[in-house]
Amino acid sequence: MPGNRNLIMLSTALACFVIMAWFCISIRGESSYEIRPRITVPAYRTDAARAIDAYERVMERFMNLADKNLADVDKEVKGIAQTLHSVDRKLSELSGRMARIEKALGIEQPKKPIKKTLDTEKQARNTKSLSESGG
């Protein structure tokens, strides 16, 4: 019996050793993790690159503002053109009416251009005002 007892003790010790070895191997296998950090570092930008980007933003704003202003000017010019066409049409109608009235009354067109007559009257008034002021 003492021989059997040693054999049982030895087999129990061997079983415990095998179990402990199995746990040690499984723990060691799980402890080997691979860590891959995903940290990104932004690219270093020079002062010149930042200045170029700022200039591009300023120019983009300027172009947008210029486009907006040109669109507003275009609207205003179209409105002015419509007004001028309306005035031209009314002046044409008035000229036709005046021609018919002059023809009905028998009034002849002046041979001298009216502008020269008006310029002459203006010069006469200026000469008269200068002579009256004493100069």
Side-chain angles (χ1 to χ4, degrees), residues 90-101:
K90 289 178 183 178
L91 284 175
S92 297
E93 291 174 4
L94 185 61
S95 178
R97 286 181 64 196
M98 290 291 291
R100 286 193 303 272
I101 291 171

Side-chain angles (χ1 to χ4, degrees), residues 36-92:
R36 294 183 184 167
R38 296 183 182 174
I39 300 172
T40 58
V41 178
Y44 177 73
R45 301 198 54 203
T46 62
D47 290 340
R50 284 191 292 258
I52 289 170
D53 288 345
Y55 178 75
E56 287 175 353
R57 286 191 304 270
V58 166
M59 288 307 295
E60 187 175 321
R61 288 179 185 170
F62 174 74
M63 293 301 289
N64 289 338
L65 181 65
D67 286 343
K68 182 181 174 261
N69 287 341
L70 285 175
D72 292 343
V73 168
D74 185 47
K75 285 181 187 176
E76 290 178 15
V77 167
K78 285 181 181 177
I80 291 170
Q82 287 177 348
T83 305
L84 287 175
H85 286 298
S86 173
V87 168
D88 184 47
R89 182 178 44 83
K90 289 178 183 178
L91 284 175
S92 297

Side-chain angles (χ1 to χ4, degrees), residues 95 98-100 102-103 106-112 114:
S95 178
M98 290 291 291
R100 286 193 303 272
E102 288 174 351
K103 186 177 181 181
I107 301 173
E108 293 182 24
Q109 292 290 326
K111 293 180 183 175
K112 261 187 165 178
I114 295 175

